[in-house]
Amino acid sequence: MEMYDVIVIGFGKGGKVLASTLAAQGQRVALVEKSDKMYGGTCPNVGCVPTKFLVHRAEISQIKGFPEFAQKAAFYRESILDKKELRKKILGKMFNMFDSNPNITLYTGTAKFVSPKEIEIRGKDFTAAATADRIVIDTGSVPFIPPIEGLGECGCAYTSEGMLDLEKLPERLVIIGGGNIGLEFASFYRQFGSEVTVLQDLPDFFPNEDADVAAAVKETMERQGVKFVFGVKVLSVKNDAEGAIVRYSAGGVEREAKGDAVLVSTGRIPNTRELNLAAAGVETTPRGAIAVDGNMRTSVSGIWAIGDVAGSPQFTYISQDDARIVMADFSGGGRTSAGRNVPYSIFLAPPLSRVGLTEKAALAQGYKTKTAVIPVTGLPRSHVLGRYTGLLKAVVDADSGLILGAALYCEESHELINIVTLAMNEKLHYTVLRDMIFTHPVMSEALNDLFGAVK
């Protein structure tokens, strides 16, 4: 049995940060990854990087304005092939990063607990045993596949991971699920040229968002050609000679949606199935995540969990921050997950970015609020870009003047939201952004106007 200072199960962003940081300190680290196609985790392989690469290519497709579907399909195929080459490059970089590190042993195999301090690793042609006083779990999440009749047998139904390798642009795409991932795919596939129908089980669009923001996004996506059906219960999926038929009920009426491809985007669940957590005594939550405290400690001393598998917000940068928390805990503490402001962006056209509380959530929590909503049309940068879609909304605590949250639905919002997050983290009065000197003409100067409109 091999003995290590730390075992990291899962080569995601957080696992990578931990392994490299600990190895640089001279500690012996075992890094275990189930698949040689997933070095680096979901984000660079089947998540953030490839999808945003395709978002960018879809924007180029729109600029080129191909008149024929065949031209759109050819450009899409070229983009998918380029995406595959990008993934190969990233995989090689990730492997080389650790394969040559003398303090890291990289195992490609499936890890399962034998006891709280011992794991067994099974690879293609080996079985190994490893032990350490500290073990960190970073196995991420996997797509949730709902029990829909015929779904498993449908040859043209895909998860988001499968869609990213689909070289033929579907003329008709049916998306089951209207969450962040489903909407992002709906947006860029529509830009590439697919006819897109989104089937959503909930009765409302973006129910957790404020109504004015949700309405702006829905109106824009519908104007772009995305079709939405709400309050849907999907009954079955089956192949026919032309593709797939999705049978569903909505409003008590059964209907059909036909597509050349079906994207199943019904959420992701913690990836714990093969870990044999019971052997270690690690507890899970009712939603299946590994239960952790603010220091990312599990119910068993010496075992931590980070990222999606620990029920953290499903963003790669949160896995990275969870790793920072664990590193701090290794050194005596000082950083926790409590009270984190988590910004995120959904890369629509334009992107929607948010941090903190919505207006309705703030009111529900008892805050007295002041708000501001401004359209994109009056911003100088919008005139430079020739893009006038969207709005910006801010929510401020009326008593303290601190920023409670913001929703930015505009070009470059994925950059702006980080400025707002910084102001929230540093507990700055909203007037700091109102009065800040920005360069011109840039989108960030919109924060002058947004926080200048707070009432």
Side-chain angles (χ1 to χ4, degrees), residues 21-290:
T21 303
L22 293 168
Q25 295 174 354
Q27 299 190 47
R28 289 193 70 223
V29 181
L31 178 60
V32 187
E33 172 53 50
K34 177 181 177 180
S35 171
D36 60 3
K37 302 295 189 296
M38 290 296 287
Y39 298 143
T42 296
C43 176
N45 292 297
V46 294
C48 320
V49 173
T51 54
K52 278 51 178 183
F53 179 85
L54 292 178
V55 166
H56 176 62
R57 286 299 183 93
E59 292 172 350
I60 294 174
S61 179
Q62 285 286 292
I63 293 169
K64 287 182 177 293
F66 299 113
E68 303 294 334
F69 184 81
Q71 295 171 298
K72 297 175 183 179
F75 183 75
Y76 167 80
R77 183 175 186 276
E78 176 187 316
S79 299
I80 292 292
L81 294 177
D82 288 345
K83 185 274 305 177
K84 290 181 178 180
E85 288 301 315
L86 175 63
R87 183 182 183 185
K88 288 180 183 178
K89 180 179 178 181
I90 292 173
L91 273 174
K93 179 181 178 182
M94 293 292 177
F95 178 78
N96 292 333
M97 179 184 299
F98 293 124
D99 186 56
S100 59
N101 191 314
N103 289 331
I104 298 176
T105 302
L106 176 59
Y107 292 94
T108 303
T110 302
K112 74 172 186 178
F113 281 93
V114 178
S115 73
K117 295 187 183 300
E118 181 183 348
I119 64 167
E120 177 186 89
I121 308 164
R122 290 186 176 272
K124 290 181 179 179
D125 53 6
F126 74 92
T127 300
T131 183
D133 288 334
R134 295 177 294 179
I135 299 176
V136 182
I137 305 168
D138 182 32
T139 50
S141 60
V142 293
F144 169 69
I145 307 299
I148 298 172
E149 179 186 333
L151 184 59
E153 295 73 44
C154 179
C156 52
Y158 308 89
T159 64
S160 59
E161 297 174 10
M163 284 293 294
L164 290 172
D165 286 332
L166 186 64
E167 295 181 13
K168 183 178 180 181
L169 178 65
E171 290 194 44
R172 302 163 301 169
L173 174 61
V174 178
I175 300 178
I176 301 174
N180 293 0
I181 296 174
L183 291 179
E184 200 164 274
F185 273 73
S187 179
F188 73 73
Y189 266 96
R190 180 60 194 141
Q191 286 187 289
F192 272 121
S194 299
E195 294 181 6
V196 179
T197 301
V198 178
L199 305 178
Q200 181 173 313
D201 59 346
L202 298 172
D204 300 310
F205 183 83
F206 266 154
N208 294 327
E209 187 54 79
D210 285 332
D212 48 0
V213 176
V217 178
K218 180 173 178 288
E219 178 186 352
T220 298
M221 294 190 72
E222 287 181 331
R223 189 169 65 248
Q224 292 167 346
V226 178
K227 179 183 177 182
F228 293 97
V229 186
F230 300 100
V232 166
K233 177 177 176 57
V234 177
L235 305 173
S236 66
V237 179
K238 68 177 182 179
N239 284 100
D240 70 358
E242 299 179 350
I245 298 174
V246 181
R247 188 167 61 90
Y248 65 92
S249 64
V253 179
E254 288 194 14
R255 299 184 175 89
E256 290 182 347
K258 296 184 178 182
D260 304 292
V262 177
L263 169 61
V264 183
S265 183
T266 48
R268 297 178 67 87
I269 56 176
N271 185 18
T272 61
R273 186 173 61 87
E274 297 173 312
L275 287 171
N276 194 27
L277 294 174
V282 173
E283 297 178 0
T284 58
T285 70
R287 297 179 67 87
I290 295 175

Side-chain angles (χ1 to χ4, degrees), residues 251-378:
V253 179
E254 288 194 14
R255 299 184 175 89
E256 290 182 347
K258 296 184 178 182
D260 304 292
V262 177
L263 169 61
V264 183
S265 183
T266 48
R268 297 178 67 87
I269 56 176
N271 185 18
T272 61
R273 186 173 61 87
E274 297 173 312
L275 287 171
N276 194 27
L277 294 174
V282 173
E283 297 178 0
T284 58
T285 70
R287 297 179 67 87
I290 295 175
V292 296
D293 64 12
N295 297 103
M296 313 312 297
R297 301 170 185 163
T298 71
S299 57
V300 177
S301 178
I303 302 178
W304 292 256
I306 61 175
D308 294 8
V309 75
S312 295
Q314 293 180 352
F315 306 111
T316 189
Y317 44 89
I318 296 302
S319 176
Q320 179 179 16
D321 194 58
D322 287 353
R324 296 187 188 112
I325 292 169
V326 171
M327 287 299 305
D329 200 38
F330 285 178
S331 303
R335 188 184 186 107
T336 74
S337 62
R340 283 191 295 199
N341 291 308
V342 179
Y344 65 86
S345 296
I346 309 171
F347 285 76
L348 309 175
L352 170 66
S353 302
R354 145 157 305 287
V355 67
L357 300 176
T358 61
E359 180 183 7
K360 62 182 179 182
L363 292 172
Q365 292 186 24
Y367 285 100
K368 296 178 182 178
T369 63
K370 297 194 289 186
T371 62
V373 180
I374 64 170
V376 168
T377 51

